[in-house]
Amino acid sequence: MRILVAVKRVADFNARIRVNAEGTGVDLSNVKMAMNPFDEIAVEAALRLREAGAASEVVVVSVGEASVSEAVRAAFAMGADRGIVVRADGRVEPLAVAKILAAIAKREEAGLVILGKQAIDDDANQTGQMLAALAGWPIATFASEITIDGAALTVTREIDGGHETLRMAMPAVVTADLRLNQPRYASLPNIMKAKKKPIDEMTVGDLGIDTAPRLRVLKVAPPADRKAGVKVSSATELVERLRAETGVL
Ligand code: AMP
């Protein structure tokens, strides 16, 4: 069975993000980029399934400008076997990515597609769900455990107040949550091998997919600066201030 993993290249989670001068997006010049952290967890999950003998190949796919191949190479350095880059310029919305992934999953005859639960740049949390709907496959979002037993997939999901365990047929879609695993560090032999592994490059045009935006960004603004705190000298003063400033006590 082949597992497809979707990896997005995003601003590193530690990077300081600045809104651009026009207020239409963020300024990514000179910002360190990295694989979306939830996608690293998705790659790790796929590698563990391959190592357990439940899958024969892990193929990673990334959609975007030429530089997204760096996310694919980072997945190679973890141990992924093969990569696909689908070139698309500008902002690619979750629906467009989902259409592309649906086309690739069918073409690759993937038995399982694993995605991150969300990309930490736009925080959409939509692509996996849209992919499952377009492909007509079952989905388990927010996975904290994945097991494959023959043709059956069992996924434990993190839900409000606990866990839910689902069993479904494959092909299926799973989105990875934080506690699914701890991604491995790239090993030196894999880093060396990563340079030589093949990346199949294609364009959205080759796939015949319409990626025209459905959304218009009206405005992007940084969060308001936090006001400086005030030190109070006693609990009585604290209560008085809260009463005066919030009116709730
Ligand atoms: P989102 O719905 O944008 O929050 O993204 C959820 C997941 O979809 C990500 O964690 C990735 O696994 C996948 N994904 C989103 N955008 C891309 C992209 N441009 N290329 C590859 N995978 C993507």
Side-chain angles (χ1 to χ4, degrees), residues 5-10 36-40 42 61-65 68 86 92-95 97-98 100-101 114-130 174-176:
V5 185
V7 297
K8 186 175 187 188
R9 186 169 183 261
V10 298
N36 182 43
F38 293 109
D39 303 352
E40 285 186 0
V61 51
S62 193
V63 179
E65 294 172 0
V68 302
V86 182
V92 196
E93 293 174 358
L95 178 60
V97 177
I100 291 165
L101 293 176
I114 314 182
L115 304 90
K117 73 165 177 180
Q118 74 194 63
I120 62 163
D121 49 2
D122 293 330
D123 279 339
N125 180 359
Q126 295 173 358
T127 310
Q129 294 88 328
M130 288 175 167
V174 171
T175 72

Side-chain angles (χ1 to χ4, degrees), residues 1-5 54-59 81-82 84 104-113 170-171:
M1 189 203 39
R2 182 170 293 137
I3 304 181
L4 196 66
V5 185
S56 50
E57 192 183 28
V58 174
V59 180
D81 300 296
R82 195 154 59 78
I84 299 171
I104 304 273
K106 298 242 157 104
R107 182 186 277 208
E108 291 285 335
E109 297 179 340
L112 178 63
V113 185
M170 294 187 286

Side-chain angles (χ1 to χ4, degrees), residues 201-213:
E201 200 172 304
M202 60 193 79
T203 65
V204 279
D206 298 335
L207 296 169
I209 290 172
D210 165 22
T211 56

Side-chain angles (χ1 to χ4, degrees), residues 3 8-9 14 32 43 48 52 80 94 96 111 114 118-120 139 141 164-165 167 171 202-203 206 217 235:
I3 304 181
K8 186 175 187 188
R9 186 169 183 261
N14 270 318
K32 183 173 176 239
V43 172
R48 289 188 191 184
I114 314 182
Q118 74 194 63
I120 62 163
I139 178 166
T141 49
E164 178 186 56
T165 301
R167 180 175 278 254
M202 60 193 79
T203 65
D206 298 335
V217 176

